[in-house]
Amino acid sequence: MKDILLDCDPGHDDMVAIMVALAHPEINLLGITTVAGNQTGDKTALNAAKVLTLCRATHIPLVRGSDVPILQEVVRVSLL
């Protein structure tokens, strides 16, 4: 069994990654940290909390990380 700490910016792809990690028999998900990425920090943390609730895995520690990149400015792209 592998111990995993998942650091992500949960949008659709990372929410699926959380679900796969929770379901995988060889992964022990120790916790999740979220950062701003394609969305703001508050939204990525909320997305992670929602998927943990949906999967009945609220016992997994969730920590919200940085809202801004360390080395550059935030760049948001809108396709609409």
Side-chain angles (χ1 to χ4, degrees):
M1 174 137 344
K2 295 233 181 213
D3 292 335
I4 301 290
L5 175 63
L6 186 57
D7 181 52
C8 53
D9 63 339
H12 297 92
D13 56 340
D14 288 337
M15 291 173 75
V16 170
I18 292 168
M19 290 185 278
V20 169
L22 289 168
H24 198 290
E26 295 181 22
I27 291 178
N28 179 28
L29 186 57
L30 299 174
I32 298 171
T33 58
T34 64
V35 295
N38 295 334
Q39 260 309 331
T40 61
D42 58 335
K43 288 184 181 175
T44 60
L46 180 61
N47 286 346
K50 284 182 176 183
V51 77
L52 287 175
T53 299
L54 177 71
C55 294
R56 295 189 171 120
T58 54
H59 62 282
I60 302 292
L62 173 62
V63 177
R64 179 179 168 184
S66 181
D67 286 335
V68 295
I70 295 172
L71 300 176
Q72 65 186 32
E73 295 292 320
V74 175
V75 176
R76 304 242 188 274
V77 177
S78 176
L79 299 176
L80 299 177

